[in-house]
Amino acid sequence: TFMDYETIRQRLDTLVAANRMSELKGALTMLNVVDIAEYLSELDNEKMLMVFRLLPKDISADVFSYMDNDQRRKVMDALDDSEALRIIDDMFMDDAVDFLEEMPAGVVRRMLAGCDEKKRAQLNQFLRYPENSAGSIMTIEYVESHVGFTVGNAMADIRKNGVDKETIYTVYVLDDRRVLVGTVPLRKLLLAPDDAKIETLM
């Protein structure tokens, strides 16, 4: 049965107070990532870190993205470098950049040193953009397709790679020189025949 946020929050409080970790982990999955971040903001430091560490790996980076900077600093102070690096690695690029911009230079250097070369180059590129410039707020995790692809090709690609993209609701169509030639809304793709060429839908 559906439980409202307040009921779930009270249940979480009971489990936190009783240190019932496995039940707590299960109960957290009943909330979305925004509500989990909200719940964490209501806990003291020790409990907040304990609950954060219980989060499944696939959602901890999303929750981290919705925490305020003060909370995120506390989490980073408590995690070792490998745990911290995994969270940054799992965040969408623009969220990772926003977070690193708020961190002390020493923390940023440590995190960048642990990233693979490609990720480090991308983060460095974004960190150099002036605050509030187009470059500093854009995302590079978008869905692309290419002139000549069919709707079937494009949909297969979205199913394969869409989980790693920040936005999948618009497909950006590129030519063979990677120049943008048009966009197609995902809704239009879903309703088109599989053999239609994607450029006919732009």
Side-chain angles (χ1 to χ4, degrees):
T1 56
F2 175 76
M3 285 195 283
D4 64 28
Y5 172 67
E6 196 51 43
T7 307
I8 296 170
R9 196 179 71 76
Q10 288 167 6
R11 175 84 177 134
L12 291 173
D13 283 344
T14 304
L15 295 172
V16 168
N19 252 11
R20 286 153 66 184
M21 296 301 154
S22 59
E23 291 171 82
L24 180 58
K25 190 171 185 174
L28 285 167
T29 63
M30 298 172 72
L31 294 174
N32 65 49
V33 292
V34 178
D35 287 340
I36 295 171
E38 172 73 20
Y39 179 66
L40 290 172
S41 72
E42 298 164 11
L43 300 175
D44 65 36
N45 271 1
E46 189 184 346
K47 289 193 174 103
M48 185 264 287
L49 291 165
M50 178 193 79
V51 174
F52 184 82
R53 280 200 152 111
L54 281 179
L55 295 173
K57 285 183 168 58
D58 58 332
I59 65 167
S60 56
D62 289 339
V63 171
F64 190 80
S65 296
Y66 285 104
M67 296 167 92
D68 65 37
N69 279 329
D70 188 43
Q71 281 180 293
R72 295 199 288 201
R73 276 201 186 89
K74 285 168 186 164
V75 168
M76 279 294 149
D77 286 344
L79 299 182
D80 64 38
D81 280 3
S82 63
E83 289 176 300
L85 192 59
R86 182 184 54 73
I87 288 173
I88 288 171
D89 209 38
D90 287 346
M91 290 170 82
F92 288 120
M93 182 65 68
D94 56 339
D95 291 332
V97 169
D98 287 347
F99 166 64
L100 288 171
E101 282 176 336
E102 300 297 325
M103 290 291 101
V107 173
V108 176
R109 275 196 298 275
R110 228 171 54 236
M111 293 299 100
L112 290 176
C115 288
D116 70 63
E117 200 173 331
K118 183 182 176 190
K119 181 97 173 187
R120 182 166 60 245
Q122 289 174 334
L123 285 166
N124 270 320
Q125 177 190 347
F126 278 81
L127 287 166
R128 281 196 296 268
Y129 285 115
E131 192 177 358
N132 297 323
S133 67
S136 74
I137 60 174
M138 68 185 179
T139 182
I140 57 169
E141 283 126 344
Y142 58 87
V143 174
E144 66 178 64
S145 192
H146 297 267
V147 171
F149 273 31
T150 63
V151 167
N153 298 145
M155 290 303 297
D157 201 42
I158 290 170
R159 288 187 194 101
K160 182 181 172 189
N161 301 309
V163 70
D164 296 321
K165 306 302 182 186
E166 186 165 15
T167 174
I168 65 168
Y169 301 109
T170 301
V171 176
Y172 296 88
V173 184
L174 313 178
D175 68 14
D176 56 6
R177 292 171 299 138
R178 297 191 58 76
V179 173
L180 179 68
V181 291
T183 62
V184 182
L186 180 59
R187 183 174 180 277
K188 205 168 183 180
L189 274 188
L190 290 170
L191 299 174
D194 271 357
D195 59 354
K197 287 282 196 285
I198 196 161
E199 62 266 28
T200 66
L201 304 174
M202 294 186 311

